[in-house]
Amino acid sequence: MSASHSPSALPPPVLRFAPSPTGLLHVGNARTALLNALLARRAGGTFLLRLDDTDLARSKAEYAEAIREDLLWLGIAPDLVARQSERIALYEAAAERLKDAGRLYPAYETEEELELKRRVLRARGLPPIYDRAALDLGASDRARLEAEGRGPHWRFRLEHRIVAWEDGVRGHQQVDTASLSDPVLVRADGSFLYTLPSVVDDLDLGVTQVVRGEDHVTNTAVQIEIITALGGQPPSFAHHNLLTLPSGEGLSKRLGHLSLRALREAGQEALAVAAAAVLVGTSHAVEPVESLDALAALIDLAHISRAPARFDPEEVAGLTARTLHLMPFAAAEARLAAEGIGGGAAFWLAVRGNLKTFADARAWWQLIAAPAAGLIAPEDAAFLRDAAERLPAEPWDGTTFGTWSKAVKAASGRAGKALFRPLRQALTGREDGPELAALLPLMGRARVIGRLCGGAA
Ligand code: GLU
């Protein structure tokens, strides 16, 4: 094998996520986006965001903006953004080339006429494939139709051959394009349907690998034919299973199902949502990860199941908590600072195991740093005052609580719950929470004395 064929000599891959900005991204879209972004990242490649906004009536600038924000929140900001609405000239040039090559032909049937043809075929038990009647039209027929006021739409003439590819998820795939209608690429008003712009952009932007939902498997056969007709080299393809609601119902951007926005507003961690979106419906367990790089390392397209994957929002809540419990201080630091939470790594490591959402950290910080009255049962007041007197001098560290509570135990004769419960309640006002050994140095001696003695400290 020559050096140029060794895997290390392959050029870095280019992958893309290509949503239409017609709604908010849901977790199913996140699965596609993350697979592309993380495969690119893992291989030192490029991740493109391509906004499929040729449908001007349904595409909205605010959705395009929301998509970028949501990707940023997930931690997968694209290296480059392309908007199809700004690239129409490229699609027009490609359409002309296909016309010149005899692969794009004008057709004049109305939607009603097409529907009638389909109905007749179905009634005869035949698949409703377009009969290519338009290919038989001569110049005079076309002139007559156009004189009637009919403008042509344009169909791609399929080769009626077996198109095959090795799919990254599904293995060997083949589609006989004789089983398909020649697809309409250009509408009568000159606007483009999804198929041609997607192919032109993949070629023009040098996309090497297309990872998308399995709803596009048939498109792939058509697109490979178009790419070949344009003299291009098809990228590799992988079609992943789709996520569904727990009920099995498909996710809809239009209906706002499980939007990333809603999950974020509910306090779910981006990393937890990412782990769930990528790992559900694969042979890998859905479990928390420490970073997107760690998640990227777990991706194996060949281990994605062929069956649809049910996405359970309840599971994300559990995963959010477990993600926080693992989160290193370095990953939390900027967010803590943005919330005005101090205490550094000592605070974070003391409380992270008690968080359900990141916002809970604020309550623990207030408990430590803001004035608060301890919770003291009357029968414990004397015991707590005595305990306060036994507090050692500062500086305090992680061993202070152990030394102190041993002294309190010896002096009071209390042990177990009778010893620790009133201390915890007086110091935190709560029955449970982080280790008191970790909290004590964060609170400091003056505050601890105040709380043990029932003041707001
Ligand atoms: N806009 C298409 C979609 O959202 C893109 C499909 C593709 O990845 O080519 O389904």
Side-chain angles (χ1 to χ4, degrees):
M1 191 187 268
S2 75
S4 65
H5 287 104
S6 73
S8 60
L10 286 174
V14 179
L15 293 96
R16 87 303 195 268
F17 173 53
S20 55
T22 53
L24 292 172
L25 296 183
H26 54 56
V27 287
N29 306 129
R31 182 181 189 74
T32 313
L34 284 155
L35 287 172
N36 282 287
L38 296 182
L39 286 171
R41 180 186 293 209
R42 192 169 80 180
T46 304
F47 172 54
L48 311 174
L49 169 63
R50 189 185 82 202
L51 294 165
D52 286 3
D53 58 354
T54 53
D55 182 343
L56 294 176
R58 290 175 54 220
S59 299
K60 294 214 164 68
E62 54 267 37
Y63 288 134
E65 197 41 47
I67 287 169
R68 294 180 61 163
E69 275 174 33
D70 287 347
L71 295 184
L72 204 64
W73 177 67
L74 283 174
I76 51 170
D79 300 308
L80 195 105
V81 182
R83 277 180 198 74
Q84 291 197 323
S85 56
E86 294 170 357
R87 301 169 57 82
I88 304 289
L90 283 173
Y91 315 145
E92 285 170 346
E96 287 312 311
R97 284 173 57 202
L98 293 175
K99 284 179 197 172
D100 291 346
R103 297 298 298 275
L104 196 59
Y105 62 93
Y108 294 83
E109 292 91 346
T110 62
E111 197 35 60
E112 293 72 38
E113 286 164 348
L114 291 170
E115 180 51 35
L116 186 64
K117 286 186 191 218
R118 287 193 288 263
R119 240 185 291 140
V120 170
L121 288 169
R122 278 199 213 95
R124 290 166 52 200
L126 296 170
I129 300 171
Y130 176 59
D131 62 7
R132 294 183 155 177
L135 276 180
D136 298 330
L137 297 174
S140 60
D141 300 316
R142 290 204 295 271
R144 179 177 45 76
L145 287 162
E146 288 182 22
E148 282 172 16
R150 296 199 191 206
H153 52 271
W154 295 82
R155 286 190 187 261
F156 178 73
R157 186 167 55 76
L158 291 166
E159 286 183 317
H160 288 183
R161 63 175 170 101
I162 305 289
V163 174
W165 72 94
E166 289 309 313
D167 193 285
V169 175
R170 301 160 65 90
H172 184 77
Q173 297 287 292
Q174 59 178 52
V175 174
D176 182 352
T177 59
S179 67
L180 306 175
S181 295
D182 286 342
V184 177
L185 301 190
V186 192
R187 296 188 187 90
D189 67 2
S191 66
F192 290 91
L193 283 103
Y194 149 78
T195 311
L196 183 62
S198 181
V199 161
V200 169
D201 285 339
D202 286 343
L203 289 176
D204 183 62
L205 299 168
V207 170
T208 59
Q209 193 178 358
V210 171
V211 180
R212 58 186 175 188
E214 65 187 10
D215 46 336
H216 286 287
V217 167
T218 308
N219 282 340
T220 294
V222 169
Q223 291 182 345
I224 289 176
E225 275 212 23
I226 301 176
I227 291 167
T228 314
L230 288 170
Q233 191 60 37
S236 66
F237 289 94
H239 296 86
H240 63 75
N241 56 356
L242 300 180
L243 300 192
T244 71
L245 294 173
S247 65
E249 191 188 338
L251 297 178
S252 154
K253 219 177 342 181
R254 199 168 41 80
L255 298 179
H257 287 144
L258 289 178
S259 73
L260 295 179
R261 201 48 65 99
L263 290 164
R264 166 160 39 137
E265 280 163 10
Q268 305 305 338
E269 281 298 302
L271 201 50
V273 172
V278 167
L279 297 175
V280 69
T282 72
S283 57
H284 200 283
V286 178
E287 60 186 26
V289 291
E290 255 196 54
S291 66
L292 284 178
D293 286 333
L295 182 58
L298 299 179
I299 294 177
D300 184 344
L301 292 176
H303 288 169
I304 294 178
S305 153
R306 295 283 295 270
R310 284 170 202 258
F311 186 92
D312 184 356
E314 300 290 320
E315 205 175 350
V316 180
L319 212 54
T320 282
R322 290 162 63 207
T323 299
L324 290 165
H325 302 171
L326 281 180
M327 188 177 283
F329 174 61
E333 192 172 6
R335 290 167 72 187
L336 292 169
E339 300 251 353
I341 298 176
F347 168 74
W348 178 249
L349 297 179
V351 304
R352 67 177 183 178
N354 287 270
L355 306 181
K356 285 204 175 71
T357 68
F358 194 87
D360 295 345
R362 177 195 289 275
W364 285 114
W365 178 243
Q366 276 170 353
L367 199 98
I368 289 166
L375 197 64
I376 294 175
E379 64 275 21
D380 290 325
F383 158 73
L384 291 166
R385 251 195 321 275
D386 181 68
E389 272 161 31
R390 291 174 197 283
L391 280 165
E394 286 175 315
W396 286 0
D397 61 22
T399 65
T400 306
F401 180 76
T403 321
W404 173 55
S405 59
K406 236 178 253 143
V408 173
K409 177 179 178 180
S412 65
R414 293 194 185 208
K417 207 170 163 190
L419 172 68
F420 292 111
R421 188 164 177 263
L423 291 177
R424 176 175 289 284
Q425 284 196 331
L427 292 177
T428 69
R430 296 177 56 158
E431 293 277 342
D432 49 30
E435 296 285 341
L436 289 176
L439 291 185
L440 220 59
L442 288 164
M443 289 181 157
R445 194 167 189 273
R447 183 164 282 130
V448 169
I449 292 177
R451 292 199 182 163
L452 293 170
C453 298

